[in-house]
Amino acid sequence: MASSWLRSFLLCCLLTGAEIVLGFNNKIPDSPSVNQTSFPVRHGTRSKVRKVTPAPTKPSARIFSTSTKPMVAHFTTEDLEEKIEPNLEKWLWGKGERDEPMLFDFINVPPSLLPGVKSGIEDGDNYDGAWCAMHEDKKQWFQVDALRATRFTGVIVQGRNSIWSWNWVESFKVQFSNDSLSWTPCMNGTQQAVFEGNRDTDTPVLAAFPDPVVARFIRINPQTWFKNGTICLRAEVLGCALRDPNNIFQELVEEETRDKLDFRHHNYKEMRKLMRSVNEACPDITRIYSIGRSHMGLKLYVMEISDNPGKHELGEPEFRYVAGMHGNEVLGRELLLNLMQYICQEYKQGNQRVVHLVKETRIHLLPSMNPDGYEMAYKKGSELAGWALGRFSYKGYDMNNNFANLNSVMWDAMELETDKSKLINHYIPIPKQYTSKDALVRKLHEEICQSCKSFINLLTLIMPHNPEVISIKTQRVSEIVLLFTNGRLKVAPETRAVISWMQSIPFVLSANLHGGELVVTYPFDMARDWAAREHTPTPDDSFFRWLATVYASTNHAMSNPHRRPCHNKDFTRQNNIVNGANWHTVPGSMNDFSYLHTNCFEVTVELSCDKFPHTNELPIEWRNNRESLLVYMEQQCMLNKGIKFLRWKNDSQVHRGIKGVIKDKDTKAGIADAIVKVDNIDHHIRSASEGDYWRLLNPGDYEVTVMADGYVPVTRSCRVEYEYYPTICDFRLSRVVKPRLREILVKKRKIPKELQLRLRQLRLRKRERNAKQHVSDI
């Protein structure tokens, strides 16, 4: 997930935990000494294009219709034997289309040894977006200390990530050292090698060394740079750490997980193969189905895990994990593939924790929401994919804000509607303009272009002597406008598929897996009044904070008190959770849409600082996230029968809310779409097709009211305890008869036959009850 920190200082380096030392004429803000000052490096993060956000148009309050019956889709089981079309296969894996992956390792250093990065954090800051030299000459250098002997194989460079400047290094030299005193240049035969750098700010350029070099220190020495800019760069240093036979402690620290899982990156073919192998190994608890296709025709496969796959069981909650919304944020994809393998293996071995989870929860795992984007990033690999390549879909959609913006619909209706009782706060219908092809594109395109002209005028005032830069910026703004109108206002086929999936299955809890940061965000993701950043809580804010804390506090990387920030924002001060809108506003996010259009509560998990970690990092990332993935699912499992595996502070058990079944008092049939209202929480939910419901709540006493069309509302008290078992709150509703009969008699109309039959049935039942009471009295 992108944010404002992506416009600030960024240094990509596979030598994770290495130290950076800047040359004697270099500048870094808040640095007491530019000589021999150590800074940590982070890898796998890329630059970001600023999006232009239009002002919302206010719809009529009548958009709050209670008629919210979506078309229900049925997802058939897939056997994964379907052949891929030849043209699509050629585009994905055609000869020469995919670069060979670069097999490089990285270095781990205890975070306690590393200080924090200091850099600019605001647009316009002179120091933001890269390392920059103080002077423009060939004596400037940038140094990395790997802390131990390393076989260096190359570097990857990018320009400065800033909307206010246009800086990159066009050529550079490299030097090596074992003591930081004597330096040896990288040679190309008999001459010192000069490597080609960048021609723009964003494209990663690989400089592979003619021969690997073993050393501890490496320096990058810029030689030429963009003529209208200055010396600025971002760098990723490639190499393999050499093992020290005398350091036994190091071997213990680097011990990885013992789980026997397939730790590697899987393209579309390999993902299908792995999912099929899991299904064949555990056919009784797994089912594979597809919810739709991507623009290029790749299927969006889902692995269902349940003791009765393919069927919603009464009272059993539905859970989902979604990964790969941004195709180049690949860790979530691999974690879900690992998770389905792990559950299958542990279930077969009789792990009671996993067995209970499978029996009491219907789990859905969507490992790749944006398979087209993933394949684009996969072709380039971890090093050269760049920040944006693969983030968007093939057609340029950013699915992170491609869902209907129901926040504005709700807030605008609140302002326009004088009778607040007519407003609804859940199951908000999707506006017609969201699905129509040309409804708002032309109007908003004009508004955006007007904003673009103002932006270009501002650039002209700031940089009157840089016409070339202004020309490039103008082109970039035009690209943003095109991307916005094509990607933001039109709905991607992948987004449509996920919306249909949401509407078809009564999900209760979900998490959306991203990458590029270590934090859990919770709704709302969009700030009110289109503010760039503002705390915007939901009515269920306390519960969402608890949910986010459950994942963050059990994640090994997030919960490490000594860890370094991924970038310039230290989320450890907030316990590694943040309100999404208070980080950066995202109109049309899946989290907000899920909360406002369905019953499902959803958070976003930023899994790792690196969006595309290397293969040898995957076991470590699985170890960091395994417990979090399980514990988060168990929060819903507790809604069913409760579990005894999760312990919280002071060894107290955790409880999740209330559940029950809403039935017709006379026929005993379940009532679908009944509204469940909790006093003092301005957000309702609805019952599923068979009348079962789940309401996530923190411990406490609640007055719960259930309403349904044609029935008399019923209110009862429900107490949510701290115990591990759920609170069962069933409701029996009586049909409304007397008000309808009274209305007919007032208007002197004939009583319909079905109402006459209903009255006769009620009289007979009343007589039967009186007779039974008379017998019991005797």
Side-chain angles (χ1 to χ4, degrees):
M1 180 180 287
S3 70
S4 60
W5 47 259
L6 287 168
R7 306 183 193 94
S8 62
F9 177 84
L10 185 54
L11 195 54
C12 303
C13 181
L14 282 180
L15 300 174
T16 306
E19 293 183 352
I20 299 176
V21 182
L22 306 180
F24 62 94
N25 282 330
N26 301 318
K27 63 183 180 182
I28 279 283
D30 302 329
S31 175
S33 173
V34 294
N35 254 335
Q36 302 301 316
T37 303
S38 298
F39 296 91
V41 289
R42 274 295 181 190
H43 60 280
T45 331
R46 310 296 183 194
S47 58
K48 177 188 175 183
V49 176
R50 176 183 289 275
K51 289 193 174 182
V52 182
T53 307
T57 54
K58 292 193 174 183
S60 169
R62 67 175 179 273
I63 203 163
F64 279 77
S65 168
T66 56
S67 177
T68 57
K69 297 263 187 183
M71 291 184 61
V72 177
H74 299 281
F75 307 108
T76 58
T77 303
E78 296 279 344
D79 59 8
L80 300 183
E81 296 294 338
E82 179 185 7
K83 292 184 178 180
I84 302 173
E85 296 181 3
N87 292 337
L88 178 58
E89 190 166 13
K90 183 178 179 181
W91 174 76
L92 291 173
W93 310 288
K95 193 172 182 180
E97 287 290 325
R98 187 186 186 279
D99 300 330
E100 289 299 319
M102 290 176 282
L103 303 177
F104 299 117
D105 206 343
F106 67 101
I107 297 176
N108 279 320
V109 177
S112 58
L113 300 180
L114 302 167
V117 171
K118 298 294 183 182
S119 62
I121 61 175
E122 301 293 340
D123 293 327
D125 192 314
N126 292 330
Y127 302 103
D128 80 308
W131 163 78
C132 296
M134 181 76 72
H135 302 285
E136 295 184 11
D137 58 51
K138 296 184 179 181
K139 297 180 181 180
Q140 309 306 306
W141 49 262
F142 170 86
Q143 177 178 314
V144 175
D145 180 2
L147 301 181
R148 54 177 168 170
T150 302
R151 181 182 291 107
F152 294 108
T153 54
V155 296
I156 297 173
V157 293
Q158 287 179 284
R160 182 180 180 182
N161 173 26
S162 174
I163 67 169
W164 302 102
S165 60
W166 205 253
N167 305 316
W168 60 79
V169 170
E170 295 183 339
S171 65
F172 59 93
K173 295 179 180 180
V174 177
Q175 298 173 329
F176 305 97
S177 175
N178 288 317
D179 57 8
S180 75
L181 298 176
S182 59
W183 292 86
T184 302
C186 181
M187 303 299 290
N188 185 10
T190 59
Q191 297 182 344
Q192 186 173 0
V194 178
F195 297 96
E196 183 178 351
N198 299 99
R199 291 295 180 266
D200 58 45
T201 59
D202 298 329
T203 305
V205 175
L206 169 66
F209 302 150
D211 297 297
V213 178
V214 176
R216 173 176 168 176
F217 300 89
I218 183 174
R219 276 184 180 179
I220 299 175
N221 174 213
Q223 296 297 298
T224 59
W225 46 91
F226 179 50
K227 63 180 180 180
N228 290 326
T230 187
I231 302 175
C232 293
L233 63 83
R234 289 172 285 164
E236 185 170 359
V237 181
L238 308 177
C240 303
L242 301 183
R243 296 188 180 277
D244 184 356
N246 299 319
N247 192 344
I248 301 176
F249 175 75
Q250 175 183 316
E251 301 293 330
L252 296 176
V253 170
E254 293 180 351
E255 181 181 358
E256 297 173 354
T257 178
R258 295 181 179 180
D259 296 329
K260 304 301 181 182
L261 307 176
D262 189 3
F263 293 116
R264 61 191 176 97
H265 290 291
H266 298 77
N267 65 12
Y268 183 73
K269 280 184 176 180
E270 294 162 345
M271 182 186 71
R272 297 203 323 172
K273 184 178 179 180
L274 185 147
M275 294 179 72
R276 182 168 60 245
S277 68
V278 172
N279 178 243
E280 291 172 351
C282 297
D284 295 335
I285 63 168
T286 63
R287 181 177 78 102
I288 301 171
Y289 64 92
S290 170
I291 62 173
R293 291 182 182 268
S294 68
H295 174 80
M296 293 302 294
L298 301 180
K299 287 189 175 182
L300 277 60
Y301 289 112
V302 177
M303 173 67 77
E304 177 190 340
I305 304 176
S306 170
D307 62 334
N308 192 4
K311 180 183 178 182
H312 171 73
E313 298 181 68
L314 185 68
E316 184 171 281
E318 307 267 357
F319 177 90
R320 71 169 182 261
Y321 273 131
V322 178
M325 171 179 280
H326 293 149
N328 63 338
E329 296 172 12
V330 304
L331 180 56
R333 175 191 182 108
E334 299 308 323
L335 287 178
L336 292 192
L337 295 178
N338 294 152
L339 181 61
M340 61 183 70
Q341 293 177 14
Y342 177 82
I343 292 177
C344 175
Q345 293 175 9
E346 295 300 308
Y347 184 87
K348 293 174 69 176
Q349 293 175 11
N351 183 327
Q352 288 304 302
R353 180 186 190 183
V354 173
V355 170
H356 187 277
L357 184 63
V358 171
K359 288 185 176 180
E360 304 302 335
T361 311
R362 190 180 179 205
I363 304 167
H364 305 259
L365 308 178
L366 172 60
S368 186
M369 180 179 168
N370 181 9
D372 295 352
Y374 175 85
E375 295 300 329
M376 288 187 283
Y378 180 78
K379 289 177 186 178
K380 288 292 185 180
S382 175
E383 295 82 8
L384 298 178
W387 183 88
L389 181 62
R391 172 185 174 88
F392 308 103
S393 70
Y394 183 83
K395 292 293 288 183
Y397 300 110
D398 186 346
M399 297 174 203
N400 194 40
N401 56 9
N402 194 234
F403 289 80
N405 176 9
L406 301 182
N407 304 61
S408 294
V409 173
M410 177 180 66
W411 292 328
D412 292 344
M414 287 179 178
E415 294 178 2
L416 295 172
E417 181 59 64
T418 56
D419 185 358
K420 303 303 180 182
S421 64
K422 295 183 179 180
L423 298 175
I424 62 172
N425 55 23
H426 70 293
Y427 272 54
I428 298 176
I430 299 175
K432 291 182 179 179
Q433 61 265 29
Y434 175 76
T435 54
S436 61
K437 294 182 179 180
D438 304 310
L440 290 178
V441 171
R442 188 171 301 172
K443 180 179 179 181
L444 285 181
H445 187 280
E446 294 173 356
E447 294 179 1
I448 298 169
C449 287
Q450 185 62 39
S451 300
C452 294
K453 291 178 182 178
S454 302
F455 179 72
I456 294 167
N457 292 336
L458 177 62
L459 286 177
T460 306
L461 292 174
I462 295 174
M463 298 178 289
H465 303 297
N466 289 326
E468 182 177 350
V469 173
I470 293 174
S471 176
I472 296 173
K473 294 292 185 182
T474 303
Q475 181 180 358
R476 172 66 61 85
V477 170
S478 299
E479 292 172 357
I480 295 173
V481 174
L482 180 62
L483 176 64
F484 186 90
T485 53
N486 285 339
R488 175 66 188 91
L489 296 177
K490 296 184 180 179
V491 189
E494 298 89 344
T495 307
R496 292 183 186 274
V498 171
I499 290 176
S500 176
W501 186 38
M502 291 179 173
Q503 293 173 337
S504 302
I505 298 175
F507 291 111
V508 179
L509 186 61
S510 173
N512 183 14
L513 307 183
H514 285 242
E517 185 53 90
L518 273 172
V519 68
V520 182
T521 73
Y522 53 90
F524 286 123
D525 288 333
M526 179 185 175
R528 195 164 183 174
D529 299 324
W530 295 79
R533 185 176 63 191
E534 183 180 38
H535 182 68
T536 312
T538 66
D540 289 283
D541 185 64
S542 61
F543 184 84
F544 272 116
R545 290 176 59 84
W546 193 93
L547 268 184
T549 302
V550 164
Y551 197 100
S553 62
T554 53
N555 182 280
H556 288 193
M558 293 185 195
S559 59
N560 183 353
H562 304 295
R563 77 171 179 90
R564 296 172 295 159
C566 289
H567 308 285
N568 58 48
K569 190 170 181 63
D570 186 2
F571 287 109
T572 58
R573 299 177 180 178
Q574 301 168 256
N575 296 320
N576 302 295
I577 67 171
V578 65
N579 174 255
N582 202 28
W583 182 17
H584 58 277
T585 188
V586 180
S589 75
M590 186 163 72
N591 288 7
D592 290 359
F593 179 86
S594 180
Y595 181 70
L596 295 174
H597 187 66
T598 73
N599 288 339
C600 188
F601 286 31
E602 182 173 297
V603 300
T604 291
V605 182
E606 300 284 348
L607 295 164
S608 171
C609 297
D610 192 356
K611 293 188 174 191
F612 203 136
H614 284 244
T615 300
N616 61 333
E617 294 179 85
L618 295 179
I620 299 172
E621 295 294 355
W622 167 251
R623 183 187 61 190
N624 289 341
N625 288 276
R626 182 186 66 185
E627 183 66 16
S628 303
L629 293 167
L630 294 173
V631 168
Y632 188 79
M633 285 192 292
E634 287 169 342
Q635 304 318 299
Q636 175 168 283
C637 184
M638 292 174 195
L639 267 178
N640 207 17
K641 291 185 178 179
I643 62 172
K644 299 182 180 180
F645 303 101
L646 179 63
R647 300 238 175 220
W648 204 244
K649 295 179 180 179
N650 300 323
D651 202 38
S652 62
Q653 304 292 335
V654 182
H655 192 76
R656 298 311 322 129
I658 63 175
K659 73 162 198 171
V661 181
I662 303 169
K663 294 183 178 181
D664 186 298
K665 187 174 182 180
D666 298 321
T667 65
K668 311 302 181 185
I671 302 174
D673 290 325
I675 298 174
V676 180
K677 174 185 176 183
V678 179
D679 280 4
N680 300 320
I681 300 180
D682 191 22
H683 181 79
H684 311 333
I685 59 117
R686 297 197 183 194
S687 59
S689 59
E690 298 179 28
D692 45 346
Y693 78 94
W694 307 262
R695 184 54 166 100
L696 302 177
L697 293 167
N698 284 325
D701 293 314
Y702 300 94
E703 290 293 315
V704 182
T705 301
V706 172
M707 303 170 288
D709 289 341
Y711 290 89
V712 178
V714 174
T715 300
R716 60 172 295 188
S717 297
C718 300
R719 169 173 290 184
V720 178
E721 301 282 1
Y722 284 91
E723 305 299 331
Y724 61 83
Y725 56 83
T727 298
I728 306 299
C729 280
D730 293 328
F731 287 85
R732 301 293 181 266
L733 272 59
S734 300
R735 284 192 172 274
V736 177
V737 175
K738 292 183 178 179
R740 185 182 176 193
L741 178 61
R742 189 181 299 111
E743 180 182 357
I744 292 174
L745 294 176
V746 168
K747 295 182 179 180
K748 298 181 179 180
R749 294 179 180 176
K750 184 178 180 181
I751 300 176
K753 291 184 179 180
E754 68 273 10
L755 184 55
Q756 294 179 20
L757 179 60
R758 175 64 178 160
L759 291 171
R760 191 177 300 115
Q761 290 174 344
L762 290 175
R763 293 191 194 102
L764 289 175
R765 287 175 184 167
K766 186 176 180 179
R767 290 174 185 173
E768 291 174 359
R769 287 195 298 269
N770 292 338
K772 291 179 181 180
Q773 182 66 31
H774 180 69
V775 172
S776 62
D777 292 342
I778 295 176

